[in-house]
Amino acid sequence: MGLLTFKGGLHPYDGKELSKDQPIKEYLPKGELVYPLSQHIGAPAKPIVKKGDRVLVGQKIAEAGGFVSANIHSSVAGTVKAIGPRLTAAGSMVNAIIVENDGTYEEVEYTTKPLDQMSKEEIRGAVKEAGIVGLGGAGFPTHVKLTPKDENAIDYIIINAAECEPYITADYRCMMEIPEQLISGLKIILSLFPNAKGVIGIEDNKPDAIKKLEGLTEKEDRISVAALKTKYPQGAERSLIYAVTGRSINSSMLPADAGCIVDNVATAIAIHQAVTEGKPLYQRVVTVTGDAITNPGNFMVRCGTNAAELVEAAGGFKTQPEKVISGGPMMGMAMFSLDVPCGKTFSSLLTFTKDQVAMYEPSACIRCGRCGTVCPAHLLPAKLSVLADHGKYDEFEALDGAECVECGCCSYICPAKRRLTQSMKTGRKEVLARRRRK
């Protein structure tokens, strides 16, 4: 059987050799930690502590502000210093809880019971209580994803182990170092859906991870490992669902509408820890890499840690970077300050000596059609970007501009160096806002 894949996509330099062989190191933060109340899609969390309160590791400090929201837990022991606006990696000011770390790392006692004695409601409750969100970058509250309208209609639980974004190796290291926790998390999800089978989708540029997980699941009737063709954006939800199942979804659908639930590797591991250990989500693996960093590596980072500390943990800059990115180089966000906290969706910190985007000035479209060839949503970015730039949002929507997944393939491949993705994002944002107003 050939490798599973989708139509479109491209093959950027992946840069994973910088950090893929670096084992996960635990990093303990210094000074104050900042916990933004919006680390997820949905309503901001509501603080349940006040200035002067002492908190412990794992203690809930903010509770979900609605069904589509997520709890937030302290990752250190210390004193609540303030509650107020703080800068985030996205460049926005968000209300946050600031905790002064006392260095003791005193932890709350967790309680749980054996999985076979837990009801489905208790499992979902444990996931919700732990504040788990999609750790691949989207930040969608996981307990909502695990509560579809009809659980019997779900026949695929897909673990997104593609990690298709260049440079990032956090999920790969988790698969190599703690694969048992990944499989346990998948089994817990499968226990909620009696008709589903589990599929772990891994790109074939990680043959050792494929081999390891195939060995660990060979006796599991409901779990299989799918080798995916290495191609960006293989790990995008729609691309992955199509590659594994042959089913298609659009912007008005959820994966559950196609009988699928998709979770990231780190999310599945967090589910294992929440249900079997009672441990909330207060830390995650972060890749710190790029040609400007001295010692690229993977770190177990406590949420709220200042990004500047991660640079120091990786040996500091060997060359002052022109560009620093939170997330991957294709879909991540450029940062203008390192004085920001690492939140739940902070998967990597990339540092580059050259800003390759700023090096080129966009020129006129040469009508080559390459952007349409690589677009995984099969759109016409050259046409749609012009419509968005001129505010013609009705035409933009009529040509399915809202189906853009904002992967960046069109901008990457464009020989005229046009900012296609940027224009597409603007148009899509306006169309989705109009739909909500209706």
Side-chain angles (χ1 to χ4, degrees):
M1 179 185 282
L3 293 166
L4 302 173
T5 191
F6 62 99
K7 296 175 183 177
L10 41 75
H11 300 85
Y13 164 64
D14 73 6
K16 293 182 186 286
E17 75 281 356
L18 294 173
S19 60
K20 78 180 188 70
D21 296 322
Q22 298 300 317
I24 299 167
K25 300 175 187 173
E26 183 174 12
Y27 177 74
L28 295 178
K30 310 174 187 73
E32 65 179 35
L33 284 91
V34 177
Y35 303 94
L37 298 174
S38 292
Q39 297 183 45
H40 50 264
I41 289 174
K46 298 177 180 177
I48 56 172
V49 292
K50 61 184 184 301
K51 184 178 179 181
D53 287 353
R54 185 166 190 268
V55 297
L56 305 179
V57 176
Q59 180 179 330
K60 183 161 65 173
I61 56 176
E63 62 185 10
F67 181 62
V68 183
S69 187
N71 295 333
I72 295 171
H73 300 77
S74 179
S75 59
V76 295
T79 305
V80 177
K81 190 176 175 182
I83 299 176
R86 287 291 189 276
L87 183 68
T88 66
S92 55
M93 297 295 284
V94 172
N95 272 339
I97 299 171
I98 297 90
V99 175
E100 186 68 37
N101 181 10
D102 64 15
T104 64
Y105 295 99
E106 186 182 349
E107 198 160 358
V108 300
E109 287 188 16
Y110 306 124
T111 57
T112 187
K113 61 182 182 181
L115 179 61
D116 57 9
Q117 295 178 22
M118 295 178 74
S119 67
K120 292 181 180 181
E121 290 70 28
E122 287 175 317
I123 292 172
R124 292 186 174 101
V127 171
K128 180 179 181 179
E129 186 61 29
I132 299 173
V133 302
L135 299 179
F140 190 78
T142 302
H143 68 277
V144 180
K145 190 180 285 189
L146 298 181
T147 315
K149 294 175 183 176
D150 182 6
E151 65 183 40
N152 293 313
I154 302 298
D155 45 20
Y156 281 100
I157 306 298
I158 303 172
I159 297 298
N160 185 354
E163 199 163 48
C164 64
E165 273 269 15
Y167 290 92
I168 307 176
T169 56
D171 284 350
Y172 170 75
R173 289 314 311 172
C174 287
M175 288 188 281
M176 296 306 295
E177 296 181 42
I178 48 173
E180 297 83 3
Q181 293 188 27
L182 165 59
I183 294 166
S184 171
L186 176 53
K187 285 181 178 179
I188 290 168
I189 301 171
L190 285 170
S191 72
L192 300 173
F193 302 100
N195 301 329
K197 58 182 179 180
V199 181
I200 304 172
I202 312 176
E203 284 191 331
D204 68 328
N205 64 350
K206 307 173 185 68
D208 43 0
I210 292 174
K211 183 178 180 181
K212 180 172 286 244
L213 285 162
E214 282 181 337
L216 291 170
T217 59
E218 61 182 353
K219 295 181 180 178
E220 299 289 343
D221 295 336
R222 297 178 65 192
I223 299 176
S224 62
V225 176
L228 308 172
K229 185 176 181 179
T230 300
K231 182 169 63 170
Y232 179 83
Q234 186 69 263
E237 202 167 58
R238 295 185 212 171
S239 302
L240 183 62
I241 289 172
Y242 181 83
V244 172
T245 70
R247 301 172 186 176
S248 299
I249 62 171
N250 59 39
S251 64
S252 62
M253 298 169 66
L254 294 172
D257 295 326
C260 301
I261 285 177
V262 182
D263 274 314
N264 171 264
V265 167
T267 307
I269 290 170
I271 290 171
H272 157 80
Q273 294 173 348
V275 175
T276 64
E277 303 170 24
K279 185 178 176 183
L281 174 61
Y282 64 75
Q283 61 183 4
R284 64 158 302 148
V285 179
V286 176
T287 300
V288 184
T289 186
D291 61 1
I293 205 80
T294 303
N295 301 311
N298 301 285
F299 299 87
M300 182 64 77
V301 178
R302 296 183 179 233
C303 293
T305 300
N306 192 282
E309 290 187 36
L310 294 187
V311 172
E312 295 307 312
F317 295 126
K318 61 182 180 185
T319 308
Q320 193 61 30
E322 280 190 4
K323 192 158 201 171
V324 178
I325 298 173
S326 163
M330 299 295 285
M331 293 184 74
M333 293 169 286
M335 299 166 61
F336 60 85
S337 171
L338 284 170
D339 187 19
V340 297
C342 301
K344 294 178 182 180
T345 58
F346 196 99
S347 61
S348 63
L349 183 67
L350 309 185
T351 64
F352 298 112
T353 54
K354 296 293 181 185
D355 184 346
Q356 294 188 17
V357 174
M359 285 167 61
Y360 302 99
E361 195 64 33
S363 58
C365 174
I366 62 171
R367 307 279 193 239
C368 66
R370 292 182 193 176
C371 57
T373 303
V374 300
C375 177
H378 318 306
L379 304 177
L380 299 170
K383 172 74 172 175
L384 288 163
S385 64
V386 172
L387 294 175
D389 289 344
H390 289 83
K392 297 181 178 180
Y393 299 118
D394 290 335
E395 292 179 55
F396 181 90
E397 184 172 15
L399 289 175
D400 295 323
E403 299 305 311
C404 172
V405 295
E406 303 180 9
C407 64
C409 287
C410 53
S411 291
Y412 182 90
I413 205 70
C414 179
K417 305 302 178 186
R418 296 178 65 213
R419 311 284 194 254
L420 299 171
T421 305
Q422 187 174 331
S423 298
M424 295 282 283
K425 280 184 178 182
T426 302
R428 186 170 182 268
K429 187 176 181 181
E430 178 62 28
V431 167
L432 295 179
R434 286 183 175 194
R435 288 181 183 177
R436 284 192 294 269
R437 286 196 293 269
K438 289 179 182 177

